[in-house]
Amino acid sequence: RQQPVTVDVHVRPGDARRALCEEAEAGLCGRPKELSPKWLYDERGSQLFDDITRLPEYYPTRREREILEARAAEIARVSGADTLIELGSGTSEKTRLLLDAFQEAGQLRRFVPFDVSEAFLRSAAERLARQYPRVSVHAVVGDFERHLGRLPRGGRRLVAFLGGTIGNFKPEQRAHFFREVAEGLEPGDGLLLGTDLIKCRDRLFAAYNDRAGVTAEFNRNVLRVLNRELGADFDVEAFAHLAPFDEEHSWIEMRLISLREQVVRLPALERFAHFEEGEVLRTEVSCKFRPEQVEAELAAAGLQLSSWWTDAAEDFALSLSFK
Ligand code: AVJ
Protein backbone atom coordinates (compact mmCIF):
# COMPACT_ATOMS: atom_id res chain seq x y z
CA ARG A 1 0.00 0.00 0.00
CA GLN A 2 3.10 2.15 -0.05
CA GLN A 3 3.36 4.35 -3.17
CA PRO A 4 6.09 3.48 -5.66
CA VAL A 5 9.39 5.40 -5.55
CA THR A 6 10.73 6.92 -8.77
CA VAL A 7 14.31 8.11 -9.18
CA ASP A 8 15.47 10.36 -12.07
CA VAL A 9 19.23 10.42 -12.47
CA HIS A 10 20.92 13.41 -14.11
CA VAL A 11 24.40 13.02 -12.63
CA ARG A 12 26.49 9.84 -12.60
CA PRO A 13 29.09 8.99 -9.95
CA GLY A 14 32.09 9.76 -12.23
CA ASP A 15 30.74 13.25 -13.09
CA ALA A 16 31.76 14.72 -9.77
CA ARG A 17 35.37 13.65 -10.09
CA ARG A 18 35.63 15.08 -13.62
CA ALA A 19 34.14 18.37 -12.46
CA LEU A 20 36.56 18.47 -9.53
CA CYS A 21 39.52 17.93 -11.89
CA GLU A 22 38.34 20.82 -14.03
CA GLU A 23 37.85 23.12 -11.09
CA ALA A 24 41.07 22.16 -9.38
CA GLU A 25 43.15 23.07 -12.40
CA ALA A 26 42.07 26.72 -12.34
CA GLY A 27 41.33 26.87 -8.63
CA LEU A 28 44.60 25.48 -7.26
CA CYS A 29 47.18 26.28 -9.91
CA GLY A 30 46.15 29.90 -10.57
CA ARG A 31 45.73 32.88 -8.28
CA PRO A 32 43.80 33.74 -6.18
CA LYS A 33 43.15 30.12 -5.22
CA GLU A 34 39.57 29.03 -4.78
CA LEU A 35 37.39 25.90 -4.75
CA SER A 36 33.61 25.74 -4.60
CA PRO A 37 32.11 24.61 -1.31
CA LYS A 38 30.46 21.52 -2.78
CA TRP A 39 33.75 19.59 -2.42
CA LEU A 40 33.55 19.93 1.36
CA TYR A 41 30.77 17.34 1.55
CA ASP A 42 32.16 13.85 1.14
CA GLU A 43 31.06 11.33 3.76
CA ARG A 44 33.40 12.67 6.42
CA GLY A 45 32.65 16.28 5.49
CA SER A 46 28.90 15.68 5.74
CA GLN A 47 29.41 14.11 9.17
CA LEU A 48 31.53 17.09 10.25
CA PHE A 49 28.87 19.51 9.03
CA ASP A 50 26.33 17.57 11.05
CA ASP A 51 28.59 18.03 14.10
CA ILE A 52 28.79 21.76 13.31
CA THR A 53 25.01 22.07 13.48
CA ARG A 54 25.17 21.01 17.13
CA LEU A 55 27.94 23.44 18.17
CA PRO A 56 26.89 26.10 20.68
CA GLU A 57 28.25 28.87 18.41
CA TYR A 58 26.57 27.67 15.21
CA TYR A 59 23.06 29.13 15.46
CA PRO A 60 21.57 28.84 11.89
CA THR A 61 20.34 25.24 12.09
CA ARG A 62 18.66 25.71 15.46
CA ARG A 63 17.09 29.01 14.42
CA GLU A 64 15.70 27.60 11.19
CA ARG A 65 14.28 24.62 13.06
CA GLU A 66 12.68 27.01 15.55
CA ILE A 67 10.95 28.82 12.68
CA LEU A 68 9.80 25.58 11.05
CA GLU A 69 8.46 24.24 14.32
CA ALA A 70 6.40 27.38 14.78
CA ARG A 71 5.33 27.89 11.17
CA ALA A 72 5.16 24.60 9.29
CA ALA A 73 1.36 24.46 9.40
CA GLU A 74 1.11 28.05 8.20
CA ILE A 75 3.61 27.35 5.41
CA ALA A 76 1.54 24.39 4.26
CA ARG A 77 -1.64 26.44 4.30
CA VAL A 78 -0.30 29.60 2.66
CA SER A 79 1.58 27.69 -0.03
CA GLY A 80 -1.47 25.61 -0.90
CA ALA A 81 0.94 23.10 -2.42
CA ASP A 82 0.34 19.39 -3.03
CA THR A 83 3.92 18.78 -4.16
CA LEU A 84 6.91 19.55 -1.96
CA ILE A 85 10.28 19.74 -3.72
CA GLU A 86 13.36 19.96 -1.55
CA LEU A 87 16.65 21.06 -3.09
CA GLY A 88 19.76 19.63 -1.45
CA SER A 89 17.57 17.51 0.74
CA GLY A 90 20.35 16.38 3.08
CA THR A 91 19.11 14.20 5.91
CA SER A 92 15.61 15.61 5.49
CA GLU A 93 15.40 16.10 9.24
CA LYS A 94 13.89 19.57 8.93
CA THR A 95 11.91 18.38 5.95
CA ARG A 96 9.99 16.08 8.25
CA LEU A 97 8.57 19.10 10.04
CA LEU A 98 7.21 20.27 6.68
CA LEU A 99 6.08 16.83 5.54
CA ASP A 100 4.19 16.26 8.78
CA ALA A 101 2.47 19.64 8.53
CA PHE A 102 1.50 19.11 4.89
CA GLN A 103 0.27 15.62 5.69
CA GLU A 104 -1.77 16.89 8.61
CA ALA A 105 -3.37 19.48 6.35
CA GLY A 106 -4.25 16.54 4.08
CA GLN A 107 -2.72 18.23 1.08
CA LEU A 108 0.49 16.33 0.36
CA ARG A 109 0.48 14.12 -2.74
CA ARG A 110 4.08 14.12 -3.83
CA PHE A 111 7.53 14.68 -2.32
CA VAL A 112 10.49 15.38 -4.56
CA PRO A 113 13.86 15.20 -2.80
CA PHE A 114 16.59 16.61 -5.04
CA ASP A 115 20.20 15.87 -4.19
CA VAL A 116 23.54 15.27 -5.87
CA SER A 117 24.36 11.95 -4.22
CA GLU A 118 22.48 9.02 -5.81
CA ALA A 119 23.21 6.36 -3.18
CA PHE A 120 22.26 8.68 -0.37
CA LEU A 121 19.12 9.87 -2.12
CA ARG A 122 17.89 6.37 -2.97
CA SER A 123 18.04 5.22 0.63
CA ALA A 124 16.45 8.45 1.89
CA ALA A 125 13.66 8.13 -0.71
CA GLU A 126 12.88 4.52 0.28
CA ARG A 127 12.77 5.46 3.94
CA LEU A 128 10.48 8.43 3.31
CA ALA A 129 8.17 6.31 1.15
CA ARG A 130 7.79 3.84 4.02
CA GLN A 131 7.17 6.57 6.56
CA TYR A 132 4.73 8.54 4.38
CA PRO A 133 2.85 5.72 2.61
CA ARG A 134 0.20 8.01 1.07
CA VAL A 135 2.82 10.26 -0.50
CA SER A 136 4.48 9.38 -3.80
CA VAL A 137 8.22 9.98 -3.64
CA HIS A 138 9.88 11.12 -6.84
CA ALA A 139 13.60 11.57 -6.21
CA VAL A 140 15.81 13.58 -8.57
CA VAL A 141 19.58 13.08 -8.60
CA GLY A 142 20.99 16.33 -9.90
CA ASP A 143 23.07 19.43 -9.35
CA PHE A 144 20.91 22.41 -8.44
CA GLU A 145 23.15 24.69 -10.45
CA ARG A 146 22.50 22.66 -13.62
CA HIS A 147 19.39 20.53 -13.44
CA LEU A 148 16.63 22.77 -12.10
CA GLY A 149 14.99 22.50 -15.51
CA ARG A 150 14.37 18.81 -14.77
CA LEU A 151 12.04 19.23 -11.80
CA PRO A 152 8.86 17.19 -12.23
CA ARG A 153 5.89 19.22 -13.47
CA GLY A 154 2.25 19.19 -12.47
CA GLY A 155 0.30 19.89 -9.32
CA ARG A 156 0.80 22.92 -7.14
CA ARG A 157 4.47 22.94 -6.20
CA LEU A 158 6.50 24.37 -3.38
CA VAL A 159 10.28 24.38 -3.85
CA ALA A 160 12.14 24.45 -0.52
CA PHE A 161 15.77 25.54 -0.37
CA LEU A 162 16.66 25.50 3.30
CA GLY A 163 19.65 25.73 5.61
CA GLY A 164 20.98 29.00 4.26
CA THR A 165 22.72 27.15 1.42
CA ILE A 166 21.71 30.03 -0.89
CA GLY A 167 24.46 31.93 0.98
CA ASN A 168 27.08 29.76 -0.69
CA PHE A 169 26.31 31.39 -4.04
CA LYS A 170 27.98 34.64 -5.02
CA PRO A 171 25.59 37.40 -6.15
CA GLU A 172 25.74 36.46 -9.82
CA GLN A 173 25.24 32.74 -9.20
CA ARG A 174 22.43 33.64 -6.86
CA ALA A 175 20.63 35.73 -9.48
CA HIS A 176 21.06 32.88 -11.95
CA PHE A 177 19.69 30.40 -9.42
CA PHE A 178 16.58 32.52 -8.68
CA ARG A 179 15.93 32.95 -12.40
CA GLU A 180 16.23 29.21 -13.02
CA VAL A 181 13.87 28.41 -10.15
CA ALA A 182 11.36 31.01 -11.35
CA GLU A 183 11.55 29.73 -14.91
CA GLY A 184 10.69 26.21 -13.77
CA LEU A 185 7.64 27.37 -11.76
CA GLU A 186 4.07 27.98 -12.89
CA PRO A 187 1.95 30.84 -11.54
CA GLY A 188 0.85 29.86 -8.02
CA ASP A 189 3.93 27.70 -7.37
CA GLY A 190 6.17 28.90 -4.53
CA LEU A 191 9.73 29.07 -3.23
CA LEU A 192 10.47 28.57 0.47
CA LEU A 193 13.92 29.98 1.09
CA GLY A 194 16.13 29.92 4.21
CA THR A 195 18.50 32.88 4.59
CA ASP A 196 20.92 33.76 7.37
CA LEU A 197 20.65 37.41 8.41
CA ILE A 198 23.29 40.06 9.07
CA LYS A 199 24.08 40.36 12.75
CA CYS A 200 26.86 41.47 15.07
CA ARG A 201 30.18 40.38 13.63
CA ASP A 202 31.37 38.69 16.80
CA ARG A 203 28.58 36.16 16.62
CA LEU A 204 29.12 35.63 12.91
CA PHE A 205 32.82 35.09 13.50
CA ALA A 206 32.24 32.68 16.40
CA ALA A 207 29.79 30.59 14.32
CA TYR A 208 32.48 29.89 11.71
CA ASN A 209 35.51 29.78 14.00
CA ASP A 210 34.27 27.55 16.81
CA ARG A 211 36.32 26.87 19.90
CA ALA A 212 36.26 23.09 19.51
CA GLY A 213 37.81 23.39 16.04
CA VAL A 214 35.12 21.36 14.25
CA THR A 215 34.75 23.96 11.47
CA ALA A 216 38.53 23.94 11.02
CA GLU A 217 38.43 20.16 10.55
CA PHE A 218 35.47 20.51 8.16
CA ASN A 219 37.42 23.05 6.12
CA ARG A 220 40.70 21.11 6.08
CA ASN A 221 38.77 17.98 5.08
CA VAL A 222 38.59 19.34 1.53
CA LEU A 223 42.35 18.70 1.32
CA ARG A 224 41.72 15.03 2.17
CA VAL A 225 39.11 14.96 -0.61
CA LEU A 226 41.73 16.31 -3.04
CA ASN A 227 44.27 13.76 -1.82
CA ARG A 228 41.82 10.92 -2.41
CA GLU A 229 40.20 12.09 -5.65
CA LEU A 230 43.23 13.60 -7.40
CA GLY A 231 46.01 11.57 -5.78
CA ALA A 232 47.32 14.85 -4.35
CA ASP A 233 49.74 14.96 -1.43
CA PHE A 234 48.45 17.87 0.65
CA ASP A 235 49.87 17.95 4.18
CA VAL A 236 46.62 18.71 5.96
CA GLU A 237 48.46 20.03 9.02
CA ALA A 238 50.31 22.59 6.91
CA PHE A 239 47.12 24.66 6.44
CA ALA A 240 45.29 26.77 9.02
CA HIS A 241 41.56 27.53 9.05
CA LEU A 242 40.29 31.12 9.22
CA ALA A 243 36.78 32.37 8.41
CA PRO A 244 36.58 36.18 8.68
CA PHE A 245 33.47 38.24 7.94
CA ASP A 246 33.90 40.45 4.88
CA GLU A 247 31.76 43.55 5.51
CA GLU A 248 31.97 44.77 1.94
CA HIS A 249 30.49 41.58 0.45
CA SER A 250 28.50 40.76 3.55
CA TRP A 251 29.82 37.21 3.58
CA ILE A 252 31.82 34.89 5.74
CA GLU A 253 34.77 33.66 3.76
CA MET A 254 36.24 30.28 4.70
CA ARG A 255 39.95 30.16 4.07
CA LEU A 256 42.76 27.66 4.28
CA ILE A 257 46.04 29.46 4.83
CA SER A 258 49.30 27.85 3.83
CA LEU A 259 51.58 27.84 6.88
CA ARG A 260 54.72 27.59 4.77
CA GLU A 261 55.83 27.81 1.18
CA GLN A 262 54.99 24.45 -0.35
CA VAL A 263 54.55 22.55 -3.60
CA VAL A 264 51.73 20.02 -3.81
CA ARG A 265 51.59 17.23 -6.43
CA LEU A 266 48.34 16.85 -8.38
CA PRO A 267 48.93 13.60 -10.32
CA ALA A 268 45.41 13.44 -11.81
CA LEU A 269 46.09 16.80 -13.48
CA GLU A 270 49.79 16.19 -14.13
CA ARG A 271 50.35 19.52 -12.41
CA PHE A 272 51.79 21.01 -9.25
CA ALA A 273 50.19 23.64 -7.04
CA HIS A 274 52.54 26.21 -5.52
CA PHE A 275 51.64 27.92 -2.25
CA GLU A 276 53.47 30.88 -0.76
CA GLU A 277 53.66 31.10 3.00
CA GLY A 278 50.42 32.82 4.04
CA GLU A 279 48.73 32.24 0.68
CA VAL A 280 44.96 31.77 0.91
CA LEU A 281 42.79 29.06 -0.64
CA ARG A 282 39.16 30.16 -0.44
CA THR A 283 36.84 27.19 0.10
CA GLU A 284 33.46 28.83 0.75
CA VAL A 285 31.55 32.06 1.02
CA SER A 286 28.45 32.21 3.21
CA CYS A 287 26.41 35.35 2.52
CA LYS A 288 24.42 37.09 5.23
CA PHE A 289 21.36 39.06 4.15
CA ARG A 290 19.22 42.09 4.89
CA PRO A 291 15.48 41.44 4.52
CA GLU A 292 14.95 44.10 1.81
CA GLN A 293 17.76 42.59 -0.19
CA VAL A 294 16.19 39.13 -0.23
CA GLU A 295 12.88 40.62 -1.33
CA ALA A 296 14.52 42.68 -4.08
CA GLU A 297 16.55 39.77 -5.44
CA LEU A 298 13.50 37.50 -5.54
CA ALA A 299 11.48 40.23 -7.26
CA ALA A 300 14.20 40.71 -9.86
CA ALA A 301 13.73 37.04 -10.81
CA GLY A 302 9.94 37.38 -10.95
CA LEU A 303 9.20 35.95 -7.50
CA GLN A 304 6.82 37.96 -5.30
CA LEU A 305 7.51 37.83 -1.58
CA SER A 306 4.41 36.71 0.28
CA SER A 307 5.54 35.80 3.83
CA TRP A 308 8.61 36.46 5.93
CA TRP A 309 9.19 34.51 9.13
CA THR A 310 12.08 34.83 11.61
CA ASP A 311 13.06 33.23 14.91
CA ALA A 312 12.61 35.21 18.13
CA ALA A 313 16.17 36.56 17.99
CA GLU A 314 15.81 37.51 14.28
CA ASP A 315 18.94 35.59 13.43
CA PHE A 316 17.56 33.65 10.47
CA ALA A 317 14.63 34.00 8.07
CA LEU A 318 12.35 31.82 6.01
CA SER A 319 10.61 33.51 3.12
CA LEU A 320 7.80 32.31 0.92
CA SER A 321 7.49 33.83 -2.51
CA PHE A 322 5.29 33.04 -5.48
CA LYS A 323 5.70 33.13 -9.20
C1 AVJ B 1 25.40 24.43 4.92
C2 AVJ B 1 26.09 26.21 3.55
C3 AVJ B 1 24.47 26.60 5.23
O1 AVJ B 1 27.22 28.40 5.18
O2 AVJ B 1 26.64 28.15 7.25
C4 AVJ B 1 28.99 25.79 8.11
C5 AVJ B 1 28.08 25.56 5.69
N1 AVJ B 1 30.33 26.29 6.51
N2 AVJ B 1 30.17 26.16 8.64
C6 AVJ B 1 26.90 27.69 6.14
C7 AVJ B 1 29.10 25.87 6.75
C8 AVJ B 1 30.97 26.46 7.69
C9 AVJ B 1 26.74 26.19 5.93
N3 AVJ B 1 25.71 25.86 4.91
Side-chain angles (χ1 to χ4, degrees):
R1 24 169 305 250
Q2 172 190 314
Q3 304 279 313
V5 172
T6 355
V7 183
D8 298 346
V9 181
H10 303 298
V11 287
R12 307 257 157 212
D15 292 357
R17 196 181 161 278
R18 271 190 297 282
L20 177 57
C21 282
E22 244 163 69
E23 230 199 90
E25 173 111 42
L28 296 175
C29 302
R31 256 175 210 157
K33 300 194 191 312
E34 174 165 23
L35 289 173
S36 61
K38 62 178 160 202
W39 313 117
L40 293 163
Y41 298 90
D42 67 342
E43 210 177 302
R44 182 164 182 270
S46 301
Q47 180 58 55
L48 284 165
F49 175 67
D50 207 59
D51 297 342
I52 287 173
T53 65
R54 284 186 291 272
L55 291 170
E57 299 98 326
Y58 191 78
Y59 59 85
T61 310
R62 276 188 295 277
R63 297 310 196 212
E64 187 178 52
R65 191 184 306 121
E66 176 187 332
I67 303 169
L68 283 170
E69 276 167 356
R71 306 292 188 169
E74 193 180 342
I75 291 166
R77 180 163 42 75
V78 179
S79 75
D82 58 32
T83 295
L84 178 63
I85 301 175
E86 187 177 24
L87 303 182
S89 45
T91 55
S92 292
E93 184 222 318
K94 282 177 282 186
T95 317
R96 269 158 216 286
L97 294 169
L98 283 175
L99 286 172
D100 290 344
F102 273 82
Q103 179 141 282
E104 215 143 292
Q107 66 187 68
L108 187 62
R109 297 177 48 190
R110 186 163 55 149
F111 178 54
V112 180
F114 182 110
D115 200 276
V116 74
S117 158
E118 177 171 354
F120 168 83
L121 194 56
R122 280 187 187 275
S123 65
E126 291 294 343
R127 203 169 45 245
L128 286 161
R130 277 194 304 276
Q131 289 164 349
Y132 297 88
R134 297 198 307 275
V135 176
S136 84
V137 178
H138 183 156
V140 180
V141 183
D143 179 334
F144 48 63
E145 285 195 276
R146 287 166 46 213
H147 302 109
L148 285 182
R150 312 293 185 90
L151 295 178
R153 310 240 148 211
R156 182 126 172 222
R157 295 170 301 163
L158 176 66
V159 174
F161 192 40
L162 302 177
T165 306
I166 188 71
N168 283 170
F169 294 149
K170 292 180 189 155
E172 216 161 281
Q173 287 173 293
R174 204 159 65 220
H176 174 77
F177 174 84
F178 288 144
R179 280 196 306 269
E180 291 283 301
V181 169
E183 189 164 314
L185 299 183
E186 304 289 337
D189 290 344
L191 171 66
L192 181 69
L193 181 70
T195 43
D196 195 10
L197 303 177
I198 295 177
K199 57 188 59 63
C200 116
R201 56 183 299 139
D202 294 348
R203 287 187 55 223
L204 285 171
F205 186 86
Y208 292 83
N209 298 269
D210 63 279
R211 297 203 49 174
V214 182
T215 308
E217 253 334 287
F218 171 67
N219 194 6
R220 276 196 291 256
N221 182 60
V222 78
L223 301 178
R224 296 181 205 274
V225 171
L226 294 167
N227 285 349
R228 186 181 62 237
E229 299 299 325
L230 307 180
D233 61 353
F234 278 97
D235 173 2
V236 175
E237 301 303 315
F239 289 83
H241 162 82
L242 185 68
F245 182 60
D246 176 337
E247 297 269 2
E248 186 196 332
H249 295 101
S250 190
W251 66 39
I252 287 278
E253 184 170 310
M254 271 220 309
R255 299 174 178 169
L256 287 168
I257 301 168
S258 177
L259 294 173
R260 49 178 158 81
E261 187 187 348
Q262 47 189 323
V263 177
V264 179
R265 298 179 54 232
L266 303 169
L269 310 179
E270 301 183 338
R271 297 281 306 253
F272 293 91
H274 298 252
F275 287 85
E276 298 296 333
E277 180 177 344
E279 189 171 350
V280 167
L281 166 61
R282 179 157 75 180
T283 55
E284 179 186 69
V285 301
S286 187
C287 292
K288 308 304 164 191
F289 298 89
R290 280 176 294 106
E292 321 79 66
Q293 180 193 358
V294 176
E295 178 167 17
E297 290 188 12
L298 290 168
L303 296 165
Q304 251 39 70
L305 184 73
S306 148
S307 310
W308 177 265
W309 298 285
T310 65
D311 55 285
E314 300 192 44
D315 281 340
F316 196 93
L318 280 186
S319 59
L320 177 60
S321 54
F322 289 102
K323 169 111 176 224

